[in-house]
Amino acid sequence: MPQTIPATLIPGDGIGHEIVDATLAALDAVGAPFEWDRQIAGLEGVTIAGDPLPPATLASIRRTRLALKGPLETPSGGGYRSSNVRLREEFKLYANLRPARTVIPGGRFDDIDLVIVRENLEGLYIGHEAYIPIDDDPHAVAMATGINTRQGSRRILKFAFEHAIATGRKKITVVHKANIMKALTGIFLETAQQMYEEHYKGRIGFEAVIVDACAMKLVINPWQFDVIVTTNLFGDILSDLAAGLVGGLGMAPGANIGHDAAIFEAVHGSAPDIAGQGKANPTALMLAAAMMLEHVKLVESAQRLRRAIADTLNVDKVRTGDLGGRASTSEFAKAVVARIGPA
Ligand code: NAD
C-alpha cells in the first residue's frame, strides 16, 4: 500500500451521508489509503455556510485534486445554479465516464457491459438561459443557448477513443442529433468523423447514431453498444437509461475527469423521497469508489471491492429495497465489509 493519498470528501445532501458512511466502511476494509478532508456543498453548503459551493470546498479540491462526492441537491426552476455543474466547470472536468455493467445476473437485461462517455462542460448545460416577458406573463417565452466547440469536442472525443482503446473496447458509437441541430451537434459529429479518419481508423470500430434511435436501440438490443460518446444533455439522459439496464440508479457509478482533478460520484441524485430512512442503496457510490481506487492505480483494491459487492448481492443475497431486498444501507455495508474480510 502506498502512503496516504489526500482526497476531499463531500457527503452531500439527502441520502448522501448514509451512502458515504457505507462507502467509507468498505474503503476502510480494503485498506484504501485516502486521507479525507471533509467539506460541504449543495443544500448542506447553503444551510451551514450560506453558499452552495463554499470557497473552502473549492480550495480543498484544488489542493487534493481528487474527491469522492455524495449527491448534491439543486432546486428546479429558480434558486441557485447546480453545484455539480459548477464543480465540473471550476476544475474543467470535461469527461464524465459512466460505465453500466451487470452486477446482478438474471435481470431483464443480462451481461450488460457498456460505457457512456459524456461531454461535461459544453452543450445546453452552459446555463445561458432567459425568459422574455410579454404583457403580464413574466415567463411568456423561454430561451436557452447551447455551445459546442471544436476544441471541446476534440478533447472529449480524444478521451473516449483513447480510453476505449486502452481498455480493449471494440467500438465507439458517436451519438448526435445533427439532422435537426445541424450546427450544435453537427460540429461534434463532424469532429468525430475527422478524428476517426485521421487517427483511429483500423484501431477500433466506429459508427454514428442519432440520439432518438440510440435510445430505442439501447432498449431493444443494448449488447450492440460498447462505448458511447456524446454531448452533455444526451449523455445525461442516456446514462440514466443505461443505469436502468443494470438494475437502476442504485447501481450506476460515475467519474468526472479533467487534466488536473477527478471527482467520483454516483449517477443518481439525493433521493429526497427516501433520505434519512436507511433505505438507500450505496452500491453506486461504492462502485464509484472502486473507480477512484483505479484512478490512483490501486487496481487490486478496486477489484477486491467490486468482488465483495458482487458476492454480497449474488451469493449472500443481501440487497436493499430498490433491488427487492430487505437490507438497510448500513446492513448492506456490513455485509460488504464482511465479504472483504481481513487484509
Ligand atoms: P434521484 O436520482 O435523487 O432519485 C430518482 C429516484 O431513484 C427516486 O425515487 C430515488 O428514491 C431513487 N434512488 C436514487 N438513488 C437511489 C439509491 N442510491 N438507492 C435507492 N433508490 C435510489 O433523482 P431526483 O429525485 O430527480 O433528484 C433529486 C435531487 O438530486 C435534485 O435536487 C437533483 O438536482 C439532484 N441530483 C444530483 C445529482 C448529483 O449530485 N450528481 C445527480 C442527479 C440529481
Side-chain angles (χ1 to χ4, degrees):
M1 266 302 159
Q3 293 166 340
T4 56
I5 301 173
T8 303
L9 182 70
I10 304 171
D13 301 318
I15 58 171
H17 282 261
E18 298 161 65
I19 59 174
V20 161
D21 286 348
T23 303
L24 289 182
L27 280 172
D28 275 351
V30 295
F34 299 118
E35 188 193 340
W36 298 110
D37 179 14
R38 252 177 203 264
Q39 295 292 338
I40 54 173
L43 190 59
E44 194 177 50
V46 173
T47 313
I48 296 176
D51 188 343
L53 200 53
T57 304
L58 292 172
S60 172
I61 301 173
R62 216 164 280 132
R63 178 177 67 82
T64 62
R65 302 165 61 172
L66 185 65
L68 182 67
K69 188 186 77 57
L72 303 177
E73 207 158 309
T74 311
S76 287
Y80 56 86
R81 199 161 167 251
S82 162
S83 308
N84 292 310
V85 174
R86 285 180 57 205
L87 276 171
R88 291 167 196 160
E89 288 173 354
E90 180 71 29
F91 296 103
K92 298 191 176 50
L93 307 172
Y94 64 89
N96 190 188
L97 194 58
R98 293 183 163 183
R101 272 191 208 109
T102 299
V103 180
I104 303 175
R108 204 177 314 170
F109 300 91
D110 224 341
D111 285 326
I112 299 291
D113 180 9
L114 58 92
V115 176
I116 297 192
V117 182
R118 164 190 174 193
E119 202 292 321
N120 225 4
L121 298 179
E122 302 197 328
L124 284 160
Y125 276 61
I126 56 167
H128 284 195
E129 291 195 293
Y131 287 113
I132 300 175
I134 297 177
D135 297 331
D136 58 354
D137 183 356
H139 290 178
V141 178
M143 301 190 310
T145 308
I147 293 184
N148 285 324
T149 64
R150 176 79 72 197
Q151 190 236 359
S153 301
R154 230 181 242 140
R155 185 173 57 180
I156 188 68
L157 287 159
K158 181 168 191 255
F159 178 93
F161 277 118
E162 301 288 339
H163 179 82
I165 291 168
T167 51
R169 297 280 174 168
K170 300 283 178 287
K171 183 174 75 170
I172 289 258
T173 303
V174 176
V175 175
H176 64 93
K177 187 76 183 173
N179 52 330
I180 303 296
M181 290 185 278
K182 291 178 193 293
L184 186 66
T185 87
I187 193 175
F188 192 77
L189 173 63
E190 177 189 291
T191 308
Q193 286 166 331
Q194 280 171 1
M195 287 176 71
Y196 181 68
E197 288 299 322
E198 283 169 21
H199 303 291
Y200 298 104
K201 202 169 184 169
R203 297 169 67 194
I204 190 162
F206 179 86
E207 66 178 356
V209 178
I210 294 173
V211 64
D212 35 342
C214 182
M216 181 272 294
K217 288 177 181 205
L218 270 168
V219 175
I220 299 251
N221 174 12
W223 301 277
Q224 69 190 285
F225 296 106
D226 197 358
V227 175
I228 288 174
V229 60
T230 188
T231 45
N232 206 337
L233 178 61
F234 299 159
D236 193 12
I237 297 167
L238 292 182
S239 56
D240 269 34
L241 194 163
L245 301 174
V246 297
L249 282 171
M251 306 298 289
N256 299 284
I257 297 174
H259 292 303
D260 297 322
I263 300 181
F264 296 82
E265 63 179 349
V267 168
H268 62 71
S270 57
D273 52 334
I274 56 166
Q277 300 172 31
K279 288 183 182 169
N281 182 357
T283 302
L285 193 67
M286 287 185 181
L287 292 172
M291 292 176 82
M292 184 171 172
L293 286 167
E294 263 166 3
H295 180 78
V296 297
K297 311 263 185 285
L298 295 173
V299 178
E300 250 175 58
S301 302
Q303 282 166 350
R304 254 180 99 201
L305 178 53
R306 283 207 186 96
R307 216 177 303 123
I309 293 167
D311 287 347
T312 302
L313 291 165
N314 298 322
V315 182
D316 305 334
K317 307 259 189 247
V318 176
R319 297 177 186 176
T320 45
D322 56 314
L323 301 174
R326 292 158 159 263
S328 68
T329 312
S330 59
E331 283 163 357
F332 181 79
K334 271 195 200 112
V336 171
V337 168
R339 266 283 160 192
I340 292 167

